[in-house]
Amino acid sequence: MRQLTDETVLAVGRLTLAATELEYLLAGIGADQSDGDLAAIFTAPGEPLRAARRSAQLTSPDRRDEFVGLVEAAAAYLVQSRTAVRAMWSESGLVGAATFDEISSLILRCRDRLQALVDELGPVPSASPRFR
């Protein structure tokens, strides 16, 4: 196993928490749309993103593109985070703390923009008012 510096381990931890927080927000968006079980959506692999994608499609037409764009950006950042963590064990192993922190920053900015949009729009049509 590759020896990781303390700095890298801490950066991976920050990345993991940021990605998990973003997935929780995505799950909440999806649960709101379907009046579903937030815990069930959150814990099913890939379901937070699928549920948020469905919910984004139900947004009013004037804001749908923005909402869909943010959900797709979230998807891209989550893929980036998984790819970066796995790259630590690749032949080159060139991924370090700075890369993880950069991706964490992108994830957190996306989370903040997505949360602001959700707060602004309120529940999507036919959704319960739980996730606001």
Side-chain angles (χ1 to χ4, degrees), residues 15-35:
L15 176 63
T16 302
L17 290 174
T20 303
E21 188 174 2
L22 179 58
E23 284 189 307
Y24 189 77
L25 175 59
L26 293 169
I29 291 167
D32 188 43
Q33 178 269 326
S34 65
D35 198 24

Side-chain angles (χ1 to χ4, degrees), residues 42-64:
F42 179 63
T43 57
E47 190 55 28
L49 182 57
R50 284 189 292 275
R53 281 177 168 149
R54 288 189 300 269
S55 183
Q57 292 300 321
L58 297 175
T59 305
S60 66
D62 61 321
R63 301 301 291 274
R64 185 175 301 137

Side-chain angles (χ1 to χ4, degrees), residues 76-88:
Y77 296 142
L78 291 170
V79 167
Q80 251 186 314
S81 71
R82 286 188 294 272
T83 301
V85 170
R86 285 175 177 83
M88 287 189 307

Side-chain angles (χ1 to χ4, degrees), residues 93-120:
L94 297 177
V95 180
T99 300
F100 296 120
D101 284 337
E102 181 180 329
I103 298 168
S104 294
S105 178
L106 292 170
I107 288 172
L108 294 174
R109 283 197 305 261
C110 182
R111 177 215 54 202
D112 291 347
R113 289 180 60 207
L114 193 53
Q115 183 64 64
L117 184 59
V118 167
D119 291 345
E120 183 182 330

